[in-house]
Amino acid sequence: MASTGKVLVYGGRGALGSAIVDFFKSKQWWTVSVDLASNDNADANVVVGPTDSWIEQSEKVTHGVAQVIGEDKLDAIFCVAGGWAGGNAGSADFVKSADMIWKQSVWTSTIAAHLASKHLRPSGVLQLTGAAPALEGTAFMMGYGMAKAAVHQLTKSLAGNKTGLPSDALAVAILPVTLDTPMNRKNMPSADFTTWTPLEFVASTFYDWTTKQDKRPANGSLVKLITTGGQTELIPA
Amino acid sequence: MASTGKVLVYGGRGALGSAIVDFFKSKQWWTVSVDLASNDNADANVVVGPTDSWIEQSEKVTHGVAQVIGEDKLDAIFCVAGGWAGGNAGSADFVKSADMIWKQSVWTSTIAAHLASKHLRPSGVLQLTGAAPALEGTAFMMGYGMAKAAVHQLTKSLAGNKTGLPSDALAVAILPVTLDTPMNRKNMPSADFTTWTPLEFVASTFYDWTTKQDKRPANGSLVKLITTGGQTELIPA
């Protein structure tokens, strides 16, 4: 069966990234994963070196994606790479944590934005990943909050004038609270899972945004994912 | 004459940093500068390596400051390091610019916050430097906006509970529009200088915040410096 569209998933080997690859594959879409390791379910992979600098990662990913995409255009770029670390200004590993989270969230988001400037089709979707708590101060996870606040502000910049993105592109960030991943279930076994956002809901929402103009949030939106009793609402911050 | 207080200036060799060192020296205060080069007017200097990683810079500065401070406490830590770069997501040097600005603004701010957790006295002042435009999207300077948004969110985190700072510390960010520096006069010779904020005004404001509790803005404030007709107002964002 011929592919009906093409998407790139930055962090395509992670729990959410894998769910997105699987969802779009189930719709016969072509997918490319960018991650530290290959996702064998994706049609193509660009593998990132763990010790690259920000500039090296940008150059290698830009080159690698150009090779697999060629002159084709992407319908959407989803950046769901990221991680978490706690700690305040007094923590011995404050800077180490902030450095790690910055790499996982902000390097990937900026490189995804740069890829969008080159390979996204007009009216395509660029999705980044923020965090609802970072709308305010986050004393117990200072490095995490800073990185996510940077992603939020980047999303607003990408909805401005002369952003470098193709015409009518949608720039949007999702702000999850807790995603229902195997890792989170393992780390928080006694939590109330009915307040966690299912990965398939996120993937299906991205599919709607990509394929249906009237389902899209406003350009530059920060969209909170609020799950109650197993039902998730999309709430602009 | 004996010193009456002790302050640290991160970026103490820059235009604003030098003005702060000079102002506090004129009040017979002891000053330490942290920068890429020494400020000979400061009482002590900690010099940063230009090629250090974030973690290396943090470790070296933390070690260097501990050596010059010993068991004494600082009345204030001012972080006025920073720079500027334009560019949007499509710029060839987007990531390179974002990387540079991140190092100049966010590395220094996080390390200043960590120093405050170790060396600031109770009720001391930790000042960081944001930017008024980064309160919204900044399409023509995406890397700059992201870094400053991160500093804004860090400032809010530092005003929370269990921040790692000493009791009753003030965390505050200034959000300048344009500072009246020699470099800015050189780069924008035909601008209206009466809308630029004089460096001595900033230094004198920091002196007031450090020495007079009743002059302080609220903890966690983002304080815009708005200059009109040569007069500067402090306006909480």
Side-chain angles (χ1 to χ4, degrees):
Chain A
M1 194 178 295
S3 295
T4 52
K6 290 175 189 277
V7 296
L8 182 147
V9 186
Y10 215 120
R13 177 65 184 268
L16 178 54
S18 296
I20 296 166
V21 167
D22 291 348
F23 191 94
F24 279 82
K25 289 305 298 174
S26 77
K27 304 290 186 181
Q28 283 75 50
W29 283 50
W30 183 91
T31 59
V32 51
S33 167
V34 179
D35 209 324
L36 293 165
S38 289
N39 178 336
D40 293 339
N41 293 336
D43 295 281
N45 280 277
V46 174
V47 177
V48 174
T51 59
D52 289 346
S53 72
W54 195 352
I55 294 167
E56 286 166 347
Q57 182 170 149
S58 176
E59 288 172 349
K60 287 185 189 175
V61 171
T62 300
H63 180 74
V65 170
Q67 282 199 309
V68 297
I69 297 286
E71 296 300 310
D72 285 352
K73 291 292 178 186
L74 292 162
D75 296 277
I77 294 176
F78 307 118
C79 181
V80 293
W84 185 88
N88 68 20
S91 304
D93 57 358
F94 169 47
V95 164
K96 190 174 170 188
S97 301
D99 185 44
M100 181 190 78
I101 293 292
W102 186 255
K103 290 174 178 171
Q104 291 172 338
S105 286
V106 182
W107 288 20
T108 56
S109 296
T110 53
I111 297 169
H114 190 58
L115 291 173
S117 78
K118 292 181 172 291
H119 300 293
L120 195 64
R121 68 164 168 80
S123 303
V125 174
L126 170 62
Q127 169 271 322
L128 306 178
T129 302
L135 295 169
E136 308 297 333
T138 51
F140 69 103
M141 48 181 189
M142 287 194 184
Y144 180 82
M146 281 195 306
K148 293 300 188 178
V151 172
H152 297 175
Q153 201 270 348
L154 175 61
T155 305
K156 293 181 200 167
S157 291
L158 288 165
N161 290 317
K162 297 185 182 169
T163 60
L165 299 190
S167 59
D168 299 319
L170 169 68
V172 59
I174 57 165
L175 278 53
V177 179
T178 308
L179 295 174
D180 191 357
T181 64
M183 179 82 82
N184 282 338
R185 287 211 180 214
K186 187 177 164 197
N187 290 339
M188 296 176 269
S190 56
D192 176 4
F193 303 145
T194 68
T195 66
W196 290 9
T197 305
L199 303 181
E200 174 143 350
F201 174 86
V202 181
S204 145
T205 298
F206 290 179
Y207 184 76
D208 284 348
W209 290 350
T210 305
T211 56
K212 299 172 190 132
Q213 288 277 346
D214 63 342
K215 291 277 191 179
R216 292 185 177 186
N219 197 15
S221 294
L222 309 179
V223 179
K224 290 192 279 190
L225 306 179
I226 305 296
T227 304
T228 318
Q231 297 298 311
T232 302
E233 281 189 284
L234 304 174
I235 301 178
Chain B
M1 193 178 296
S3 294
T4 53
K6 290 175 188 276
V7 295
L8 182 147
V9 186
Y10 214 120
R13 176 64 184 268
L16 178 54
S18 296
I20 296 166
V21 167
D22 291 347
F23 192 94
F24 279 82
K25 288 306 298 176
S26 76
K27 304 288 187 184
Q28 284 76 51
W29 283 49
W30 183 91
T31 59
V32 52
S33 167
V34 179
D35 210 322
L36 293 164
S38 288
N39 179 335
D40 292 338
N41 293 336
D43 295 281
N45 280 277
V46 174
V47 177
V48 173
T51 59
D52 288 347
S53 72
W54 195 353
I55 294 166
E56 285 165 349
Q57 182 171 151
S58 176
E59 287 172 349
K60 287 184 189 174
V61 171
T62 301
H63 179 73
V65 170
Q67 282 199 310
V68 296
I69 297 287
E71 296 299 311
D72 284 352
K73 291 292 177 185
L74 293 162
D75 296 279
I77 294 176
F78 307 118
C79 181
V80 294
W84 185 87
N88 67 21
S91 305
D93 58 358
F94 169 48
V95 164
K96 191 175 169 187
S97 301
D99 185 43
M100 183 189 77
I101 294 292
W102 187 255
K103 289 174 178 172
Q104 292 173 338
S105 286
V106 182
W107 287 20
T108 56
S109 296
T110 52
I111 296 169
H114 190 58
L115 291 174
S117 78
K118 292 180 173 293
H119 300 292
L120 196 65
R121 68 164 167 80
S123 304
V125 174
L126 170 62
Q127 170 271 323
L128 306 178
T129 302
L135 294 168
E136 308 296 334
T138 52
F140 69 103
M141 47 181 190
M142 286 192 185
Y144 181 82
M146 279 196 306
K148 293 300 189 179
V151 172
H152 297 174
Q153 200 270 349
L154 175 61
T155 305
K156 293 180 200 167
S157 291
L158 288 164
N161 290 317
K162 297 185 184 169
T163 61
L165 299 190
S167 59
D168 299 317
L170 170 68
V172 59
I174 58 164
L175 279 52
V177 179
T178 308
L179 295 174
D180 191 357
T181 65
M183 179 81 83
N184 282 337
R185 288 212 180 214
K186 187 177 165 198
N187 290 339
M188 297 177 267
S190 57
D192 176 3
F193 302 145
T194 68
T195 65
W196 290 7
T197 305
L199 302 181
E200 175 144 347
F201 174 86
V202 181
S204 143
T205 299
F206 290 179
Y207 183 76
D208 285 348
W209 290 349
T210 305
T211 57
K212 300 171 189 130
Q213 288 277 346
D214 63 342
K215 293 276 191 181
R216 293 185 175 184
N219 196 17
S221 293
L222 310 178
V223 178
K224 290 194 277 190
L225 305 180
I226 305 297
T227 304
T228 319
Q231 297 299 310
T232 302
E233 282 189 284
L234 304 174
I235 301 177

